[in-house]
Amino acid sequence: GGEVVRNQVIANTDSIEKVKRRLADSITHVNARVTNLDNYEEKISLVVNFPTNVSELVDGAKGVLDDMVNRAAGLKGYIVVVKGYADTTGTANYNLQLSTARAVSVVRYLSEQKGIPLQRIVNPTGYGSTKAIASNSTPDGRAMNRRASVTVLVSKGIANNNGR
């Protein structure tokens, strides 16, 4: 009888060790996911442009945003970052207000027309005429600076689920 009990103890010890290893692997996986919840990967980045002194979206800009929404439809754990900009036409204070209005215009379109939940949209920010991407000394450069940038980021902790 002692031999049978000894074999059962050995078998149970092996099973317990296997469970411990699986548990350690699971804990490691959960820790990695939790750690990555606020680490994001850029999935989509785009720019929509605006005419001088205008913060309302034109049809072409709406089309670009529509395409972005379609591309983001299957993503899990995403957020949308919206930043507005202006050229140097006008005062610094006016440009800051205008760039903020451009960012808000994009957010309103995405939420009201395209159904993107507001909790997915990070605080829209206007940067005025700072962070120019082209020279403000030419009409083409100013046109490039009258913009809103939209970036879709995906949480690595949610997106890298690996079926678990």
Side-chain angles (χ1 to χ4, degrees), residues 129-164:
S129 57
T130 64
K131 300 186 181 186
I133 58 172
S135 172
N136 279 297
S137 62
T138 67
D140 288 343
R142 287 189 298 275
M144 290 175 67
N145 291 328
R146 294 188 302 268
R147 71 195 190 281
S149 68
V150 183
T151 308
V152 177
L153 304 172
V154 175
S155 168
K156 290 180 179 181
I158 294 173
N160 294 335
N161 189 349
N162 294 330
R164 294 184 184 181

Side-chain angles (χ1 to χ4, degrees), residues 82-105:
V82 180
K83 299 175 184 177
Y85 303 92
D87 62 23
T88 54
T89 305
T91 65
N93 187 45
Y94 175 77
N95 288 336
L96 184 59
Q97 291 175 8
L98 180 61
S99 65
T100 301
R102 287 174 174 161
V104 169
S105 180

